[in-house]
């Protein structure tokens, strides 16, 4: 069953098993984002995060592009407007989202679109995908994390070259540099994203949410503090367990080792 927001430039499809697919739907403008689209995108991520029926979110674009960034005809309204309000900031809401976000990138992910892709937890790209940072070309200061995230993923030397020269990263480079998880034919892009989503859904939902959080939160610290953070959350998690949980865990393991299909833990 398909549901869409009142603004049809952002579509939401609820699929079986707990997958929600968000599509940026302005293909004639290469999915460039207007102010209202950004507000809708932020509110949709916040809503899906609060929806217990949603386990995994897939984000993609329609047509030839994933997202070509902010519509520069509305740049002044966006950059000097109310987007300091985190409630309507799409990247902030993506980073706040507890559910795993899989980005399915076909064609261009440019500047703001590049930053949106970096806010995803897992990236799948089509063979024709290109990631491009044009902040320096157009005199726009990054504010959705590109200046900090890219260097942590591909290394500072590569990140400086990409951003200071506005040189695109093609799909093959992106996979080699660890920017994307998989590169596939465009026709297989959403199938691959859904396969990853299904693999996630097979697991313990509570642990998936906690695991995503500890990875993402730990990455913001040095290794010593990150290891301490993992330890703190592990103790907190196990302290909250009762005997019933351990019994359920043993039953789950026994079911996995038998020929009978077992229920999810």
């Amino acid at each position: 069953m398909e549901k869409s927001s009142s603004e049809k430039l952002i579509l939401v499809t609820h699929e079986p098993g707990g997958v929600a697919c968000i599509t940026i739907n302005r293909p004639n403008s290469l999915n460039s984002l207007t102010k209202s689209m950004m507000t809708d995108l932020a509110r949709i991520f916040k809503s899906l995060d609060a929806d217990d029926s949603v386990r995994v979110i897939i984000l993609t674009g329609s047509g030839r592009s994933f997202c070509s960034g902010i519509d520069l005809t509305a740049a002044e309204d966006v950059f000097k407007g109310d987007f300091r309000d985190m409630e309507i900031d799409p990247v902030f809401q993506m980073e706040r989202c507890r559910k795993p976000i899989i980005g399915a990138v076909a064609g261009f992910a440019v500047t703001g679109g590049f930053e949106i892709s970096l806010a995803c937890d897992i990236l799948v790209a089509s063979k024709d995908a290109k990631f491009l940072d044009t902040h320096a070309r157009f005199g726009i200061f990054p504010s959705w994390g590109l200046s900090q995230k890219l260097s942590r993923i591909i290394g500072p030397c590569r990140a400086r070259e990409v951003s200071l020269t506005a040189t695109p990263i093609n799909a093959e480079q992106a996979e080699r540099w660890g920017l994307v998880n998989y590169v596939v034919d465009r026709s297989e892009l959403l199938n691959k994203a859904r396969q990853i989503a299904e693999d996630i859904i097979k697991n313990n939902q509570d642990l998936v949410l906690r695991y995503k959080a500890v990875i993402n939160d730990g990455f913001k610290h040095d290794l010593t503090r990150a290891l301490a953070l993992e330890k703190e959350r592990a103790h907190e998690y196990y302290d909250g367990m009762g005997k019933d949980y351990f019994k359920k865990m043993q039953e789950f393991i026994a079911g996995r080792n038998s020929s009978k299909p077992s229920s999810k833990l």
Side-chain angles (χ1 to χ4, degrees), residues 55 195 197-204 252 264-265:
R55 302 279 302 272
Q195 178 193 321
E198 288 167 6
D199 287 342
I200 293 170
I201 288 168
K202 291 174 185 175
N203 296 316
N204 180 295
F252 175 77
K264 290 178 183 175
L265 181 63

Side-chain angles (χ1 to χ4, degrees), residues 2-20:
E2 185 172 295
K3 302 176 183 178
S4 67
S5 64
S6 58
E7 176 57 80
K8 292 184 179 179
L9 298 178
I10 306 291
L11 301 176
V12 184
T13 304
H14 290 264
E15 302 180 359
V19 176

Side-chain angles (χ1 to χ4, degrees), residues 101-114:
I101 302 169
I102 302 169
V105 178
F108 282 100
V110 181
T111 313
F114 196 166

